[in-house]
Amino acid sequence: MSQDILGIHHVTAIADDPQRNVDFYTAVLGLRLVKLTVNFDDPRSYHLYYGDKLGHPGTLLTFFAWPGVPKGRQGTGQVTVTSFSIPQGSIDYWIERLSQQGVSFTGPASRFDETVLSLQDPDGLVIELVAHPQAELRPAWAEGPVPAEYAMRGLHTVTLSEDGYERTAKLLTDTLGFRLLGQENNVFRYEVAEGGPSAYVDVRCAPGLRRGHVASGTVHHVAWRTPTDERQQAWRGTLAGLDLNVTPVLDRKYFHSIYFREPGGILFEIATDPPGFTVDEPVEQLGTHLELPAWLEPQREELAQVLPALRLPAAGTGKSAAS
Ligand code: ZN
């Protein structure tokens, strides 16, 4: 299908304390903070974006940080696992690093011919590190605390946990252009477009699992990539025709977005690749200053007073400026 989705654009999750979140994803996992901005729908709170050097679509994990937000519950109707690629030879490094940093993990385990370490972030969000051949060819952030040869290489898969998978599977295959790639136990793996890591989605059929509750430590939504605004408009038309209650196009400054719920209840977004994260700051300075969309600039002073002060990683090192 000519208007296929290209893969995962980003995953957005919910965190409690923004400082703890920044410290974990930059200083422990070694991702780059590529944008420090506010939640455009709730500008008195941060929206934190992590990714590779440029924040390419397919490498991005983002957080709404809401101090004091209740703890969420993992369950069905949710993205329950967010998986990242790591180079095949880096498993021992990561076992050592997580142990040294006091991060508990499980594994290594085998799945779909890959080797997987599973861990939780400080809010309980489940993250996997998936070692596989040729991961080293994917982009990374090489100037953080993790040496380039071991650094995380962008998103690999998201796991959708569902009561029943059929209607979700049908949306993925019949509408969004995914193909069934394989099955292991109750997990069905699909891929889209050129396939491979960041173009996978795993659907876990778990009728015995409790319904999830989206709050801290859970994923808020997953976004899929579309190359242009024209394709996005086409998607809007397709989804509206399927009665999926799709939103109008929303300007997220770094990409344009439409949202809808898939039949299992998970919030999906379709986001454009352009314009990207260098639209308001140069590559070297990504994530080093609070950036606001033009319509919030008049409130900058007021917002700066409400938002908690953050110690940011020093530009170009990924290491906390305070450490
Ligand atoms: Zn999003």
Side-chain angles (χ1 to χ4, degrees):
M1 199 158 69
S2 64
Q3 62 165 25
D4 274 355
I5 291 297
L6 301 176
I8 306 166
H9 188 289
H10 64 267
V11 172
T12 294
I14 301 172
D16 183 322
D17 180 31
Q19 186 66 62
R20 193 172 64 174
N21 188 260
V22 168
D23 291 346
F24 184 78
Y25 284 96
T26 62
V28 177
L29 294 190
L31 297 179
R32 184 179 196 187
L33 179 66
V34 292
K35 194 62 65 181
L36 175 68
T37 186
V38 296
N39 181 336
F40 292 2
D41 298 324
D42 178 16
R44 298 162 81 86
S45 60
Y46 283 117
H47 193 175
L48 304 160
Y49 289 79
Y50 305 96
D52 69 348
K53 181 176 181 177
L54 280 164
H56 284 109
T59 71
L60 296 162
L61 174 60
T62 95
F63 288 87
F64 298 141
W66 282 313
V69 67
K71 193 136 184 63
R73 184 177 67 225
Q74 309 275 343
T76 58
Q78 267 185 351
V79 173
T80 47
V81 187
T82 303
S83 307
F84 285 86
S85 287
I86 55 171
Q88 198 152 39
S90 68
I91 282 281
D92 290 345
Y93 170 86
W94 279 103
I95 288 173
E96 179 74 20
R97 180 171 184 83
L98 295 172
S99 305
Q100 275 178 0
Q101 299 276 345
V103 179
S104 58
F105 59 91
T106 57
S110 291
R111 186 185 62 206
F112 291 115
D113 299 329
E114 300 148 352
T115 309
V116 182
L117 291 177
S118 179
L119 58 111
Q120 292 188 8
D121 85 354
D123 290 295
L125 187 77
V126 180
I127 300 286
E128 283 181 348
L129 303 179
V130 181
H132 62 88
Q134 300 195 309
E136 64 279 3
L137 302 178
R138 302 190 62 201
W141 173 229
E143 294 167 54
V146 176
E149 59 187 308
Y150 306 124
M152 288 160 69
R153 292 302 205 276
L155 291 162
H156 178 278
T157 320
V158 286
T159 300
L160 317 180
S161 288
E162 305 281 10
D163 302 314
Y165 82 99
E166 284 184 2
R167 287 187 302 158
T168 300
K170 193 168 153 56
L171 176 76
L172 290 172
T173 57
D174 295 5
T175 305
L176 299 180
F178 282 81
R179 309 172 293 276
L180 181 64
L181 196 62
Q183 178 190 355
E184 242 183 56
N185 304 315
N186 60 338
V187 177
F188 298 82
R189 172 163 290 181
Y190 297 83
E191 66 173 1
V192 73
E194 291 177 6
S198 92
Y200 291 143
V201 57
D202 289 351
V203 179
R204 180 173 171 229
C205 182
L209 203 62
R210 282 191 306 179
R211 191 85 187 153
H213 172 63
V214 174
S216 90
T218 65
V219 171
H220 187 270
H221 63 267
V222 55
W224 309 106
R225 292 174 55 198
T226 193
T228 62
D229 291 311
E230 292 70 32
R231 293 276 180 89
Q232 184 175 60
Q233 281 298 347
W235 277 116
R236 226 200 139 264
T238 302
L239 297 165
L242 292 169
D243 253 353
L244 283 168
N245 214 21
V246 60
T247 66
V249 175
L250 296 169
D251 181 4
R252 298 316 195 186
K253 192 176 183 185
Y254 311 106
F255 44 84
H256 304 137
S257 303
I258 56 175
Y259 302 83
F260 62 101
R261 280 194 195 276
E262 57 85 26
I266 300 172
L267 187 60
F268 276 8
E269 171 182 348
I270 294 179
T272 55
D273 278 3
F277 289 87
T278 53
V279 75
D280 56 5
E281 44 188 0
V283 180
E284 308 74 49
Q285 288 177 29
L286 288 179
T288 58
H289 304 90
L290 178 65
E291 293 294 342
L292 296 173
W295 68 89
L296 288 173
E297 277 297 347
Q299 296 177 52
R300 177 176 283 272
E301 232 169 90
E302 179 201 334
L303 292 173
Q305 284 181 5
V306 181
L307 292 161
L310 289 182
R311 285 186 320 277
L312 297 176
T317 69
K319 293 171 180 114
S320 170
S323 62

